[in-house]
Amino acid sequence: MEILAQYGPILIAIAIVFGFFMTWGIGANDVANAMGTSVGSNAITVKQAIVIAAIFEFAGAFLAGSHVTKTIRKGIINPDSISSQPEILVFGMLAALLAAAIWLLVASWKGWPVSTTHAIVGAIVGFGIAGIGMEAVQWAKIGAIVASWIVSPLVGGVLAYLLMISIRTLILNRKRPFEMAKRWAPMYVFMVGFIVALVTVFKGLKHLNIDLSIAQSFVVAIAAGALVSLISWLLIRKIEIDANADQDFHYASVEKVFTPMMLFTASAMAFAHGSNDVANGIGPLAAVVSIIQSGGELAQKATIPVWILLLGGGGIVLGLTTMGYRVMQTIGSQITPLTPTKGFCATLAAAATIVIASRTGLPVSTTQIAVGGVIGVGMARGIAAIDLRVVGGIFVSWLITLPVGGILAALIFFALKAIFV
């Protein structure tokens, strides 16, 4: 208690710096997962991706980012045994933030698309074991999170596969695929607006004092879906068939229809990513701030201040702007060749999976979901369309991330303890 009273402002300042560093790493690395399919399919440029992501990553973090934060902050370790030493948990959260941020900096510099969720969860577990003991780790919760790392890419992959099959059935395998694409495209875009809006407003805006009923949530979601569908129809109706391009690639004109649609899925994916992964940076920060401001109380249910959500959104935007280009190409071009139709399916499936997970409070890995979506559209053409060597390398990077985060956090925890105690 005395340590928090003496060094409280300094520790909060350190937490803000570390938290911003961590959210910067999220933006720098996970932007590949949010925008890689859109860039890889040549639907948008890197500069356009940065602008879209800057707007919608921030919106997702600010509007829908608080639910997952509760899981990261209080669900991974049990601090009851150190209730008389709250500074231990403060040091641990600081160590977790810095450890995960350092690893994300290294990975981003190398161009490795690692999981920020793996990094922060591994770091918190590492601190929990080193600073409290094995019994402090909520292994049941860890088991559920690990299970989500398996289930979420499967869900994303299956959804992407089904969407790709539906496009083949309704559009590509028809006699007039271009006309069919213009007919069905607004319905696919409606799904984008409906899913993202529904999951966001369905008990997702309480921190903004907006609590809608189920019926009201569906009305808002339908209205949002109809609005983006109308906008997409206005964009698509101006597209004309390109007979010359169709001679080289039979579905060239169809792909032209899906190119503007990628603007909507890219926006949805960025929003979904911001809503889920901002928790990785601001969860431990929120824990430090609530502990110090409450005088060492560990059990209180602290609400997430708006300024912390703003800090998280700002860090993500800065990270993706400064270093996101280094990892953006990996998922977008190296796993399987992407076209706008394939990119649309992969991104919509991933966005749907992520926003649903963010509302249930489970910190799934955006990386794994995005990879699952890309693999799913590749599987629609057969396993030969997938570069298994690239996929294997990505899996290895995920396995490395968890222990590296834990080891770094343990070392930093002992260093902080030595400095302040």
Side-chain angles (χ1 to χ4, degrees):
M1 297 293 185
E2 294 180 2
I3 293 175
L4 295 185
Q6 183 178 358
Y7 298 109
I10 295 176
L11 292 171
I12 288 180
I14 293 173
I16 291 172
V17 173
F18 287 3
F20 190 79
F21 184 17
M22 175 60 184
T23 56
W24 176 91
I26 294 170
N29 198 280
D30 270 14
V31 69
N33 312 316
M35 310 304 295
T37 50
S38 302
V39 175
S41 63
N42 296 317
I44 60 176
T45 65
V46 173
K47 289 184 179 179
Q48 289 171 332
I50 289 174
V51 172
I52 292 171
I55 295 171
F56 288 94
E57 289 269 359
F58 186 87
F62 180 69
L63 294 176
S66 63
H67 280 250
V68 180
T69 305
K70 298 174 183 176
T71 302
I72 291 289
R73 188 176 75 246
K74 298 164 69 175
I76 295 173
I77 59 173
N78 183 2
D80 290 346
S81 61
I82 56 169
S83 58
S84 61
Q85 297 176 289
E87 66 274 9
I88 297 297
L89 185 59
V90 170
F91 296 152
M93 292 295 110
L94 292 175
L97 281 173
L98 184 56
I102 289 173
W103 174 241
L104 288 176
L105 173 62
V106 173
S108 299
W109 184 260
K110 293 289 188 179
W112 299 334
V114 299
S115 169
T116 56
T117 307
H118 283 211
I120 195 65
V121 170
I124 292 178
V125 170
F127 142 68
I129 294 173
I132 308 176
M134 292 283 290
E135 69 282 355
V137 179
Q138 301 276 30
W139 294 110
K141 173 62 72 175
I142 298 301
I145 292 173
V146 170
S148 79
W149 296 339
I150 299 171
V151 173
S152 56
L154 288 176
V155 173
V158 170
L159 284 177
Y161 176 85
L162 293 176
L163 283 169
M164 194 66 228
I165 294 301
S166 73
I167 287 178
R168 280 189 176 181
T169 303
L170 297 175
I171 298 173
L172 299 180
N173 292 340
R174 303 293 288 272
K175 290 183 178 180
R176 299 188 303 275
F178 178 74
E179 287 78 4
M180 291 298 103
K182 295 184 72 171
R183 175 184 298 179
W184 287 103
M187 291 301 300
Y188 282 102
V189 175
F190 173 84
M191 293 169 58
V192 177
F194 176 79
I195 292 172
V196 175
L198 178 64
V199 183
T200 300
V201 300
F202 183 51
K203 297 185 177 180
L205 302 176
K206 285 187 175 181
H207 59 291
L208 298 179
N209 296 319
I210 301 175
D211 188 10
L212 303 179
S213 67
I214 295 177
Q216 290 172 329
S217 298
F218 269 95
V219 170
V220 171
I222 291 172
L227 176 61
V228 296
S229 181
L230 175 62
I231 295 172
S232 72
W233 177 78
L234 293 174
L235 293 173
I236 293 167
R237 72 189 183 114
K238 299 179 181 179
I239 299 174
E240 300 293 339
I241 193 167
D242 189 340
N244 292 329
D246 285 347
Q247 290 179 355
D248 298 326
F249 175 47
H250 185 58
Y251 301 112
S253 295
V254 174
E255 298 296 348
K256 284 178 60 179
V257 173
F258 275 82
T259 296
M261 291 168 61
M262 287 294 293
L263 295 173
F264 297 97
T265 52
S267 302
M269 185 61 175
F271 183 93
H273 178 263
S275 71
N276 189 73
D277 278 23
V278 69
N280 297 331
I282 68 173
L285 169 59
V288 171
V289 172
S290 65
I291 291 168
I292 293 175
Q293 290 183 344
S294 65
E297 178 61 53
L298 303 184
Q300 73 171 21
K301 295 182 179 180
T303 57
I304 306 301
V306 171
W307 70 266
I308 291 184
L309 288 171
L310 290 173
L311 180 76
I316 286 177
V317 170
L318 183 63
L320 68 90
T321 303
T322 54
M323 200 180 287
Y325 67 93
R326 289 182 176 269
V327 292
M328 192 177 292
Q329 293 296 327
T330 301
I331 288 180
S333 61
Q334 295 181 10
I335 297 174
T336 189
L338 291 178
T339 62
T341 53
K342 297 183 180 70
F344 177 87
C345 294
T347 311
L348 174 56
T353 305
I354 293 166
V355 291
I356 291 170
S358 72
R359 291 280 60 78
T360 60
L362 193 62
V364 296
S365 167
T366 303
T367 304
Q368 293 193 344
I369 293 173
V371 170
V374 175
I375 292 175
V377 296
M379 287 296 293
R381 293 175 54 209
I383 196 169
I386 300 170
D387 192 331
L388 296 178
R389 183 173 58 181
V390 172
V391 174
I394 292 174
F395 284 145
V396 170
S397 73
W398 295 344
L399 294 176
I400 293 174
T401 296
L402 200 64
V404 167
I407 293 170
L408 279 176
L411 294 175
I412 295 170
F413 167 76
F414 288 127
L416 289 171
K417 192 175 179 181
I419 292 172
F420 288 99
V421 177

